Amino acid sequence: MNSTWPLWEIFIRSQHGLAHRHVGSLHAPDAAMAINNARDVYTRRNEGVSIWVMKSADITASSPDDKAALFDPANNKVYRHPTFFPMPEDVKGL
Amino acid sequence: MDDALHPYVLRLGDNALVLSQRLGEWCGKGPALEEDMALTNVALDLLGQARMWLSYAAELQGDGADEDSLAYHRNAPEFRNLLLVEQPNGSYADTLVRQFFFDAWHALALRELGRSSESRVAGIAQKAAKEVAYHLRRSSDLIVRLGDGTARSHEMMQAAVDNLWRFTGEMFETDAIDAAARAAGAGFDATSLRREWLAYVGEVLETGTLRMPPPEAWMQKGGKQGVHSEHLSRLLAEMQVLQRTHPGAKW
């Protein structure tokens, strides 16, 4: 059965105010069933308040070969990282 | 013992327990990983409901009984579940149609029981109703998808509908136990429930291009009174073997 079902990527928002996070993938014949299946596979222990699904085939991914060109230049520029500011301890979610 | 309510609560608990055990038989064998987990979730929901009902039944019984003694140390004739829920899993079509017929009744029954003036019954029913609303949404969806799916899936679903139809009448049969529970503030009007059930089931079957058998067809009954098919004994043998062999065994 799974051989004809497309793969879906599942995103769950765990509580109000936080972004949806990728939690995994599953098979389903269409979006509505992907939501149902995601509910059963990924939210059984009260993990979420919202579910997004999208077809895995719709994702365009960067190529591992481009890793050096895409990511290395950021590493040696210390001024790009906001590490010089004191962080207020009471502010969550930063 | 509270004679008005005890046998009534026992019926509700036995329905949930027996169907949960049946669905558990699919664990690890579902047609797809996602379906396997979904069905097992339903089984676990029903098991939780069975525990609540049977714990209450044991309290009403009051002779030292508890949920476990009721689940593991009664024989088939002492079980009061509907014949529908003890029917074998068969194919996935049979399992889904059995689930759909039961869910549609269960959702309505719990809605009514949630309005009971008997507070324990109302509390358990309100809690269970949320879970069952999802069960019904899921089983209705699959009835439509597989009924209106391929020629083969349609044929299998229609055969399951025709085969299981004769076990649906019992859900709306009333006897002295139903009447007593209603007098105690915990029952519902089975006649109006039947009308609602037929309307809903008819609509879903039609959307799934499935033919609903005639409501006035001959119906099998007896489960609520303890007259069961041979299938229940085998189910209980598997479910009870450990506690019967090692009474009181714990993890």
Side-chain angles (χ1 to χ4, degrees):
Chain A
M1 198 187 257
N2 267 348
S3 61
T4 56
W5 287 2
L7 193 64
W8 299 77
E9 299 301 322
I10 311 301
F11 301 80
I12 307 274
R13 190 169 75 186
S14 56
Q15 32 173 304
H16 291 288
L18 294 181
H20 286 73
R21 277 187 58 188
H22 184 240
V23 293
S25 51
L26 51 73
H27 291 93
D30 64 22
M33 262 197 89
I35 294 261
N36 276 358
N37 288 347
R39 183 264 189 197
D40 284 317
V41 176
Y42 292 112
T43 71
R44 297 188 305 152
R45 297 176 191 87
N46 205 15
E47 290 96 335
V49 295
S50 167
I51 301 172
W52 285 354
V53 301
M54 69 176 291
K55 270 194 185 144
S56 310
D58 290 339
I59 292 180
T60 307
S62 63
S63 162
D65 296 342
D66 294 339
K67 202 174 139 218
L70 288 176
F71 307 117
D72 281 357
N75 269 341
N76 56 2
K77 298 182 184 66
V78 69
Y79 48 85
R80 285 191 171 167
H81 302 278
T83 52
F84 305 104
F85 300 95
M87 303 299 275
E89 277 180 18
D90 293 337
V91 180
K92 307 282 186 232
L94 279 178
Chain B
M1 193 199 293
D2 187 332
D3 287 334
L5 222 46
H6 173 261
Y8 190 77
V9 173
L10 205 54
R11 285 177 175 176
L12 292 165
D14 286 348
N15 281 339
L17 179 64
V18 170
L19 186 54
S20 170
Q21 178 70 15
R22 269 286 178 246
L23 292 177
E25 292 170 15
W26 273 108
C27 185
K29 301 174 189 166
L33 180 147
E34 291 79 3
E35 277 301 313
D36 196 302
M37 293 193 67
L39 211 58
T40 315
N41 276 342
V42 174
L44 286 175
D45 285 348
L46 290 170
L47 187 64
Q49 295 172 19
R51 293 188 60 187
M52 292 192 283
W53 290 124
L54 292 182
S55 294
Y56 187 33
E59 272 178 51
L60 293 168
Q61 195 170 319
D63 56 357
D66 63 12
E67 52 177 326
D68 286 335
S69 69
L70 288 179
Y72 295 125
H73 295 286
R74 280 182 300 150
N75 296 321
E78 297 164 272
F79 272 75
R80 293 290 182 267
N81 57 279
L82 298 163
L83 295 172
L84 177 67
V85 296
E86 73 196 45
Q87 295 310 305
N89 284 338
S91 70
Y92 209 63
D94 298 315
T95 294
L96 288 176
V97 170
R98 182 187 65 200
Q99 194 65 34
F100 171 62
F101 286 163
F102 181 75
D103 289 344
W105 172 82
H106 205 197
L108 292 171
L110 290 173
R111 183 195 70 194
E112 295 300 313
L113 291 172
R115 298 170 182 161
S116 298
S117 55
E118 212 282 336
S119 64
R120 280 287 290 279
V121 169
I124 297 172
Q126 285 164 15
K127 200 158 177 242
K130 287 180 202 160
E131 297 171 343
V132 172
Y134 180 75
H135 301 172
L136 179 58
R137 184 180 125 172
R138 189 177 166 279
S139 58
S140 303
D141 183 57
L142 288 169
I143 293 294
V144 172
R145 285 169 183 278
L146 290 167
D148 192 15
T150 64
R152 175 86 179 121
S153 76
H154 175 86
E155 183 192 327
M156 287 181 74
M157 294 299 276
Q158 186 64 59
V161 167
D162 294 343
N163 183 40
L164 290 167
W165 188 251
R166 67 183 188 276
F167 299 110
T168 60
E170 193 188 11
M171 301 191 283
F172 307 101
E173 284 287 322
T174 49
D175 61 7
I177 290 173
D178 294 292
R182 226 182 149 193
F188 47 77
D189 177 7
T191 314
S192 72
L193 216 66
R194 178 168 185 264
R195 211 175 302 123
E196 260 190 276
W197 185 89
L198 285 170
Y200 179 79
V201 166
E203 189 186 315
V204 172
L205 290 180
E206 193 186 335
T207 311
T209 71
L210 294 163
R211 189 185 61 253
M212 185 167 87
E216 63 278 7
W218 178 81
M219 294 290 175
Q220 186 85 43
K221 51 197 166 200
K224 287 168 69 169
Q225 287 79 30
V227 184
H228 293 282
S229 60
E230 62 173 297
H231 306 301
L232 182 65
S233 302
R234 291 166 196 226
L235 177 145
L236 292 182
E238 189 172 326
M239 186 178 85
Q240 297 178 333
V241 62
L242 192 124
Q243 283 298 329
R244 296 273 182 147
T245 317
H246 307 283
K250 286 191 187 329
W251 285 108

